[in-house]
Amino acid sequence: MSDLIRVLNETPLAESTANVAEVWQGLGSLQFDMALEVPVGDRAGEEVLVEVAAAFDEVELQMPEFDLQFDDLQGMAGYSTAQGLHSSGFTGRSFDRPIAGSIATVIDNPGSEISVTIDGAIAATALFEWSDQLLLSRSTGELSYNAVVHIPFGDETKEPYVEASSDLTGVSLNLPYPLDKLNAEDSRKFRYRQHFSNDSYRVDVMVDDDLKASLRIEEGIAVGGLVHFGQEPLASVDYDRIRMTGHLDYLDVQRWLQVIDELGEVSDVALNDEIAAHLESAELSVEKLLFYDLELPSTGVRVVRNQCAWVTSLDNAMLKGEVIVADADDVPVEIMLEQLQLDNSDDASDSLGDVNPSEIDDINFSTDSLMINGEDYGSWAFNFRVEDQVARFEDIDATPAGLRVLPSSIVEWRVAEGIHSTSYIGDIEVDDLALVMSKYGFASSVEGQGLKIDANVSWSGSPAMIDVERIVGQVGIRSEEHTSELQSPDHLVC
């Protein structure tokens, strides 16, 4: 086998075969015949005609430029001036699985190409180790594939590349939607192309018709390109940084962040840092967005990077604003909204009943406008912190319906054995008490301006379950003058 490789490299066949065997290595024996027709005399200067035929059995071939090795190769191959390098069929093993293949050459002017076609199977673990694609580290099983190695040559020599296709049957992929494939027997149309160059390579991927990507890879990390979700073709691609576009039926942000952390554990680099360094933006429309336990329908999402944080812009019928997540774990998440609209028409339902507040990150929250059931509840701001399994809303500054909740106020939220309870201790300023009572649907026998209310109250349920008729505790009203006492529920002491 080494003799044939030397013939391909050290004779005029080298140029005719694109130096395809320049770095090949081979072991084993073969039999081959060679015929040369060298024009002389009146035909001197005409093309030399070459015909080579080789039979091989139990041969080993290594192709280092593609990091490929073939064992137990058996079959026929040849070269001719008219057909180029060719083989009608061969068998062997690759990645410890049986393969069958063929070789063909397309001779054209100015560019020609040798193609090596292989049908085989590969274990998911072996595919991950060969491709160095981190997402494949979460795959299991075995898949069948068709692969074609393209080796261009001629006056317009291009970069070599590998194409592969599979229906992914036999493989499961433990990733969040839309890249999930939990049932190994499900099929998905998969297309993969990898272009090789000296210092990097380009990967083009298509999954069904819903995901398309073209990425530049350096040292196993995507550093530029475009990822698009949807059936539209890829737009023009710039490879300076990574951009994401398209439409998704569903996106679980927290689950993806968890997976990125887990992928970082099997990578030789700090994955979060690499993503931060190379992601320019992600602009998506999402039918159902799960954002830190908050379910948002029909949401426009735009993610960009600043110096030390991710900035996510959200826009739908429920809210509009930005969420800033810093790189440092000890920096609170910043949620800054222009508007927030809530629907609490289902009085019996606790919208936060399934939430464990101790699992929520520290948050600094503000909204210029809070609307509940179409009613204006003014602006709100608070800091959310958790300490000793108690969640606290601190530094509250709110202006709901003629009231102002002062920053000295604190709301505490506890969950014990699945039962939620909430308490409020603080001060509230009231410009016009009669107006406030009317706003909340109560008849009032109290009139006054410039009132200050201090309260120490609690209620069953999460903070979302606050209701004047459900709270218990102490409420005091301070004013220089007032006309009568507040008509309040029996259990509320004034």
Side-chain angles (χ1 to χ4, degrees), residues 158-176:
K158 300 178 181 179
E159 296 174 346
Y161 63 98
V162 174
E163 286 183 304
S165 61
S166 173
D167 64 5
L168 300 183
T169 302
V171 164
S172 61
L173 193 57
N174 183 20
L175 287 169

Side-chain angles (χ1 to χ4, degrees), residues 116-127:
V116 181
T117 301
I118 298 171
D119 291 300
I122 186 171
T125 51
L127 182 59

